[in-house]
Amino acid sequence: MTAETLISALFVFVLATFAGFEVITKVPPTLHTPLMSGANAISGIAVLGALIIAGERDWNVTVILGLIAVVLATINVVGGFLVTDRMLEMFKKKEAKA
Amino acid sequence: MSEFLPTGIQLSYLVAVTLFFFGLKKLGSPATARSGNLWAAVGMFIAIVATLLNEEVLNYEMILVGIVIGSVIGAIAAYKVEMTAMPEMVGLFNGLGGAASALIAVGEFWRYLSAAQTPPLPTTITAVLGVLIGGVTFTGSLIAFAKLKGIMSGSPIIFPLQQPFNLALLIAFVAGSVYICFSPFNLPVFLGIVGISLILGVLFVIPIGGGDMPVVISLLNSFSGLAASAAGFVVMNNLLIIAGALVGASGIILTIIMCKAMNRPLTNVLFAGFGTGDTGAAVASGSG
């Protein structure tokens, strides 16, 4: 990693942080948990990093740690999106009844 | 690690990050929330497929096995969980994500050491950050899960000299990290800071009451975003950095919104367990 790539990555990080501050404004309390859960599923993006370090052909410690990370992050992603969908589905039924 | 990925992968990442952004936006309002979640999921799918096409990813068979195992466990957990147990499930998932980020940081650091290569200073610093934030997210989320699930008591756990002890651990972590930056080939010190991170996560959550766990999980969710971002710096992947920062920042906002809904400031939620003098008075006046 050179200083230049680090700086451009820092720019990307700071701008994305500002975008994150702005994206959520007024959220009704019933959506707090689903929103948290959806954001949590997105944070499972760590799976990409896991795929990259698990990518080598030869077995070594890094690949093993990477594969464990792939499993954990996939649980986070798949479970996270499905659980969020289940919660939101429930809201819809409630509204239909009311 | 190559520092620039091929154009096709980068463009797919751009599509994914756009879907994440609008997905989060749509999740904030009742009429569009469900489609927002779907958008984000599609974005994630695109990102994963694009990454698998990376020419450095050669170990397909094992990776696919890992993805299948993770998907099956995640799907079963998501469908089996009771509706009332949702917050702790989210907490548990979140902890696993944090653990993954920490493992990425450790794994990449290990790659340098096993090749007897000195890692560049920015890599070491971000790896240490990834280990700290990911480790705290992991054990903190497990404690939050245990408290909500009733595996451990929901009441705040406080022991004498807790805050000085926390501070001492934090200082030890910083000292170890600085040492690692200048002398990366010391494995015991590196494993030591991994251990301290895990202990800090436990100590962070045990003094907080069980009723406040949803707020804590939301905060830890924000942390897991930052952990993913740190891991993104370690492996130099833009989408990891962006999506992690997006979750890190929006998670903080959501945490503050949740505290406001309870009419309490975040500091009160986090430190009310240390009911000494002024904070105790704040609780009393807040509830009265």
Side-chain angles (χ1 to χ4, degrees):
Chain A
M1 196 195 300
T2 64
E4 277 165 43
T5 43
L6 177 69
I7 296 295
S8 62
L10 277 175
F11 268 100
V12 164
F13 174 77
V14 170
L15 291 174
T17 303
F18 286 135
F21 281 139
E22 295 300 321
V23 72
I24 289 172
T25 43
K26 277 180 193 159
V27 185
T30 48
L31 279 181
H32 286 174
T33 310
L35 180 56
M36 170 172 91
S37 177
N40 167 49
I42 294 177
S43 74
I45 191 73
V47 69
L48 300 196
L51 294 176
I52 293 168
I53 70 160
E56 252 178 85
R57 203 20 113 183
D58 305 319
W59 285 98
N60 56 43
V61 175
T62 301
V63 171
I64 294 168
L65 294 178
L67 285 172
I68 298 172
V70 167
V71 174
L72 299 184
T74 311
I75 296 175
N76 185 5
V77 168
V78 174
F81 282 123
L82 289 178
V83 142
T84 313
D85 193 63
R86 268 190 74 196
M87 283 186 234
L88 294 168
E89 188 187 11
M90 186 183 66
F91 289 141
K92 204 146 210 182
K93 276 181 195 154
K94 261 189 188 165
E95 276 168 24
K97 270 182 202 162
Chain B
M1 279 300 115
S2 73
E3 300 202 337
F4 295 101
L5 293 165
T7 316
I9 294 178
Q10 293 285 19
L11 288 176
S12 316
Y13 280 1
L14 196 57
V15 173
V17 83
T18 310
L19 286 168
F20 288 158
F21 186 85
F22 284 107
L24 265 182
K25 185 110 199 137
K26 283 154 77 80
L27 267 168
S29 99
T32 55
R34 207 169 171 203
S35 69
N37 185 50
L38 184 66
W39 281 37
V42 171
M44 187 65 76
F45 183 76
I46 293 174
I48 291 174
V49 171
T51 306
L52 286 174
L53 296 176
N54 185 347
E55 57 190 3
E56 282 182 48
V57 179
L58 302 167
N59 195 4
Y60 284 108
E61 304 87 349
M62 288 313 296
I63 283 177
L64 287 177
V65 169
I67 290 180
V68 170
I69 294 174
S71 304
V72 170
I73 296 176
I76 292 175
Y79 281 112
K80 288 258 163 151
V81 62
E82 301 281 330
M83 278 298 166
T84 49
M86 286 297 182
E88 55 254 47
M89 204 47 167
V90 175
L92 189 59
F93 287 152
N94 188 44
L96 299 182
S101 297
L103 285 173
I104 294 163
V106 174
E108 184 67 10
F109 192 76
W110 205 294
R111 183 205 306 278
Y112 282 102
L113 294 201
S114 58
Q117 249 181 322
T118 308
L121 189 59
T123 304
T124 309
I125 294 173
T126 48
V128 165
L129 280 175
V131 165
L132 174 67
I133 311 172
V136 167
T137 306
F138 175 51
T139 50
S141 299
L142 289 187
I143 297 291
F145 171 78
K147 282 200 174 201
L148 280 175
K149 195 88 185 161
I151 299 171
M152 65 185 281
S153 157
S155 53
I157 297 170
I158 293 165
F159 53 85
L161 296 178
Q162 192 162 359
Q163 280 176 323
F165 183 68
N166 291 351
L167 191 66
L169 269 184
L170 205 58
I171 291 171
F173 180 88
V174 173
S177 307
V178 172
Y179 183 82
I180 281 292
C181 285
F182 290 106
S183 162
F185 292 95
N186 194 324
L187 202 55
V189 174
F190 186 70
L191 294 179
I193 65 173
V194 173
I196 292 177
S197 309
L198 297 175
I199 296 170
L200 280 174
V202 174
L203 292 175
F204 170 58
V205 179
I206 56 169
I208 305 173
D212 290 332
M213 281 305 123
V215 173
V216 171
I217 291 174
S218 177
L219 185 65
L220 288 169
N221 175 39
S222 167
F223 284 3
S224 77
L226 294 177
S229 216
F233 277 95
V234 177
V235 298
M236 265 299 138
N237 181 302
N238 265 342
L239 184 53
L240 227 65
I241 296 174
I242 297 174
L246 201 57
V247 173
S250 61
I252 285 282
I253 299 290
L254 181 62
T255 309
I256 293 170
I257 292 178
M258 285 168 83
C259 287
K260 271 191 188 149
M262 304 187 338
N263 270 323
R264 291 166 64 191
L266 179 58
T267 46
N268 180 254
V269 172
L270 297 182
F271 302 114
F274 300 102
T276 52
D278 49 341
T279 51
V283 176
S285 63
S287 58

